[in-house]
Amino acid sequence: MIALALSLGAGALSENGALESWTRSFNLLAAEHGLSPLDAKDFIEVDGDQLGMEKGRLYHLYTMSDGCFLMLGMSSDGTADTCALDCPEDYPEAANLMACALAVSGNRPGYDFARSLTDEAVKGVGQNGYAAGSREGWTYMGERFSAMFNASGKNEMVLMFVYGQAQSTSEGGEGSIWDGLFPDGGDDEPAPPAPAATPQPGKKIYKA
């Protein structure tokens, strides 16, 4: 979980021009949709290896309220191409928060598209315990985890959205970032096949 990486105290507070620019864009949109602003100085940098992501690449973690954690991954050109959220399943602002984040990330698709995509992911998790899909360059995956696997006493939801970086295989393939993403702890129903387009290689993410 993102919370686990934060509890390890890994990384320093971010001092990153691209992250500050992203945060300013996010805050402008967030204000329009009733969300509190973020402070770029409150992001913590964590090496991808500690998250089960790409080793040597820094990810930026932000602790929200209500046990909610936001993660960003920046490409070499300063574009946020990875957005993830770890929160209680009933977190009321999950779709709104992720829509604002996605709207100013990747190809900057705007709020309406981003909200449609995040609503799709949240709905899938709510109905099936699992969601996966790909649309207009964005690939997403999400899963519910039983309350017995965290300290909050509530079911947990993890959502992840990646822009671009699609692999050529329709099967995802060994080494896909989705491989082992949600091991041991999701609901009992079997997971559906991997999405048609998957991001570049990574390893297990979040779960301890």
Side-chain angles (χ1 to χ4, degrees):
M1 290 180 288
I2 293 176
L4 176 61
L6 289 170
S7 71
L8 295 175
L13 295 180
S14 297
E15 295 181 3
N16 182 301
L19 180 60
E20 291 176 358
S21 177
W22 182 92
T23 304
R24 285 193 296 271
S25 296
F26 172 88
N27 287 341
L28 287 172
L29 188 59
E32 297 178 14
H33 294 278
L35 295 175
S36 300
L38 307 182
D39 188 335
K41 294 184 177 61
D42 290 336
F43 279 90
I44 294 175
E45 292 183 341
V46 177
D47 189 280
D49 190 49
Q50 292 181 306
L51 293 167
M53 304 287 280
E54 182 181 345
K55 184 175 183 180
R57 183 183 184 188
L58 291 177
Y59 290 83
H60 308 277
L61 308 183
Y62 195 99
T63 303
M64 313 290 291
S65 60
D66 302 315
C68 183
F69 306 93
L70 176 68
M71 184 191 80
L72 296 177
M74 297 283 188
S75 64
S76 59
D77 66 1
T79 300
D81 60 10
T82 303
C83 299
L85 185 68
D86 183 340
C87 64
E89 187 185 12
D90 61 356
Y91 186 66
E93 291 292 353
N96 192 23
L97 174 61
M98 288 307 291
C100 288
L102 296 185
V104 297
S105 302
N107 59 346
R108 300 176 69 91
Y111 183 85
D112 289 344
F113 171 84
R115 183 59 191 258
S116 173
L117 194 65
T118 53
D119 280 344
E120 186 178 304
V122 171
K123 181 179 179 181
V125 172
Q127 291 183 340
N128 307 311
Y130 179 94
S134 183
R135 184 148 48 102
E136 296 186 30
W138 285 96
T139 299
Y140 69 83
M141 185 172 178
E143 191 158 355
R144 174 200 302 135
F145 297 96
S146 170
M148 68 180 289
F149 292 98
N150 62 71
S152 71
K154 296 182 177 181
N155 286 343
E156 178 184 2
M157 175 171 64
V158 177
L159 302 171
M160 186 173 183
F161 299 79
V162 177
Y163 179 71
Q165 304 180 22
Q167 294 184 160
S168 59
T169 174
S170 62
E171 297 297 329
E174 184 178 359
S176 165
I177 200 171
W178 304 134
D179 290 348
L181 179 59
F182 302 107
D184 303 328
D187 287 354
D188 293 334
E189 63 264 23
T198 55
Q200 284 288 356
K203 301 179 295 182
K204 168 185 170 186
I205 181 173
Y206 299 151
K207 303 306 290 182

